[in-house]
């Protein structure tokens, strides 16, 4: 006989997230970097918390697999040490902070979004899209979150997707430059161009310079939503965590433009959280689709079967899906432009 225990897990899911977000805000895991142990008494002093909240926070973080008991105190687990310490290459705290500050409260009104089919984190009456903003705090928060999610996802893509003898990639909507950086790190001699809005290109250029790859990664400013074509002369066109932001007609237009931009024999790569063809999951893709209801006008997550059909309609052949496990994508759908 079933019990309501799984439902209780769904009901209390926000407890876990807000505990996690509070610990990131307090920089708990960064303070414990390098194997350091903290006791409840020390946490009181270092985190500025009374005894009871300090004890509850450390206990809760241990229950979530973020801390582990060591002697009379707690220390980072391997997961927290790798991804939650500021300054580490794959620091994930930006995503936590963004969701906590930007999307958590709008999600409280998800019923309104379901009824109205309108985003809740920005106003379509005053902005063209969620990306059209001059708010420096929002830009820093959003692109920090995207870099947190993208950098490790890009590493997984580089490990699992064979780009053959490809030499030049156009990263459409390349944002913070994470995919270009990781793919160039993995492929000596590989070159990439991040194609995005002017203010976003500035952010990408900074990350590229910090990675020491300015000689191999460039930026080109443009708007792929309003342009009639994409920059040409590339043998890879990448859409990394991009197409879920837009509706089917927009995506078909972009894939048609990608086909025209590619050299003969070139590849298009779509890296996304892919739905199953029967639309029953997986949960990360389905729930990201719900988040697109909160944050976009027409976005949703799609199945690889849908992407396959759109790629075929654009003229691509050899279409196939490569699966992998990463925070921002669970696979990539790849198509090849016919050779001349």
């Amino acid at each position: 006989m079933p019990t309501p225990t799984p439902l209780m897990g769904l009901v209390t899911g926000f407890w876990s997230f807000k505990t996690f977000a509070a610990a990131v805000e307090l920089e708990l895991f960064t303070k414990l970097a390098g194997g350091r142990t903290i006791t409840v008494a020390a946490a009181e002093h270092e985190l500025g918390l009374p005894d009871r909240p300090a004890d509850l926070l450390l206990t809760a973080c241990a229950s979530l697999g973020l801390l582990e008991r060591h002697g009379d105190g707690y220390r980072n687990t391997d997961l927290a040490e790798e991804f939650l310490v500021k300054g580490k290459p794959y620091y994930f705290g930006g995503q936590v902070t963004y969701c906590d500050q930007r999307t958590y409260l709008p999600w409280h009104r998800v019923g309104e979004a379901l009824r109205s089919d309108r985003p809740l984190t920005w106003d379509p009456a005053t902005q063209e899209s969620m990306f059209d903003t001059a708010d420096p705090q929002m830009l820093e928060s959003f692109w920090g979150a995207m870099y947190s999610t993208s950098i490790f996802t890009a590493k997984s893509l580089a490990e699992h997707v064979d780009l053959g003898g490809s030499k030049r990639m156009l990263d459409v909507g390349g944002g913070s430059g994470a995919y270009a950086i990781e793919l160039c790190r993995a492929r000596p001699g590989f070159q990439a161009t991040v194609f995005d809005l002017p203010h976003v290109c500035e952010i990408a250029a900074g990350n590229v310079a910090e990675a020491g790859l300015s000689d191999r990664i460039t930026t080109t400013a443009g708007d792929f939503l309003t342009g009639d074509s994409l920059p040409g002369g590339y043998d890879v066109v990448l859409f990394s965590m991009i197409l879920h932001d837009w509706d089917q007609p927009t995506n078909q237009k972009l894939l048609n433009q990608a086909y025209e931009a590619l050299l003969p024999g070139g590849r298009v790569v779509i890296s996304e959280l892919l739905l199953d063809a029967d639309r029953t999951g997986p949960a990360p893709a389905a729930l990201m689709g719900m988040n697109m209801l909160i944050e976009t006008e027409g976005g949703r997550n799609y199945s690889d079967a849908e992407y396959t059909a759109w790629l075929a309609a654009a003229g691509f052949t050899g279409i196939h899906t490569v699966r992998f496990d990463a925070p921002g994508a669970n696979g990539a759908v790849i198509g090849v432009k016919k050779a001349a």
Side-chain angles (χ1 to χ4, degrees), residues 63-216:
S63 77
L64 295 174
L66 303 173
L67 297 179
E68 60 187 12
R69 192 77 190 196
H70 185 66
D72 62 350
Y74 298 85
R75 66 184 180 188
N76 285 342
T77 60
D78 291 344
L79 181 68
E81 184 70 19
E82 184 70 19
F83 299 114
L84 297 175
V85 173
K86 280 189 172 181
K88 287 289 189 80
Y90 301 109
Y91 177 65
F92 196 72
Q95 182 68 56
V96 181
T97 301
Y98 176 80
C99 288
D100 189 36
Q101 296 180 354
R102 171 78 175 177
T103 64
Y104 180 72
L105 287 179
W107 260 91
H108 289 197
R109 297 156 48 213
V110 65
E112 177 186 333
L114 286 166
R115 289 186 291 271
S116 68
D117 193 20
R118 287 173 57 85
L120 301 178
T121 57
W122 58 282
D123 184 2
T126 59
Q127 291 178 231
E128 183 178 339
S129 75
M130 64 178 289
F131 307 103
D132 175 28
T133 178
D135 181 353
Q137 185 174 2
M138 188 273 176
L139 287 174
E140 181 180 0
S141 176
F142 178 79
W143 291 114
M146 292 303 99
Y147 197 77
S148 293
T149 303
S150 298
I151 194 74
F152 193 83
T153 305
K155 182 178 175 66
S156 295
L157 178 74
E159 291 173 350
H160 289 87
V161 173
D162 181 10
L163 296 179
S166 302
K167 297 179 180 179
R168 296 185 70 224
M169 179 182 77
L170 180 69
D171 189 355
V172 180
S176 58
Y179 275 78
I181 289 169
E182 285 298 328
L183 286 167
C184 284
R185 280 174 173 164
R187 299 175 60 83
F190 194 65
Q191 296 182 336
T193 299
V194 174
F195 180 63
D196 215 314
L197 298 171
H199 61 273
V200 181
C201 284
E202 292 178 11
I203 296 170
N207 289 330
V208 168
E210 187 174 338
L213 290 168
S214 298
D215 59 330
R216 294 167 56 196

Side-chain angles (χ1 to χ4, degrees), residues 45-65:
H45 173 70
E46 293 191 35
L47 303 180
L49 304 176
D51 173 76
R52 185 172 73 107
D55 178 49
L56 295 176
L57 178 65
L58 295 177
T59 300
C61 286
S63 77
L64 295 174

Side-chain angles (χ1 to χ4, degrees), residues 237-239 255 258 262 266-270 311 316 333-336:
V237 171
L238 173 66
F239 294 97
L255 295 176
L262 279 166
R267 298 171 175 85
V268 64
V269 179
I270 302 169
L311 288 171
F316 289 98
V333 185
I334 301 160
V336 181

Side-chain angles (χ1 to χ4, degrees), residues 315-332:
F316 289 98
T317 61
I319 304 166
H320 62 286
T321 302
V322 176
R323 297 283 181 173
F324 52 86
D325 181 27
N330 60 12

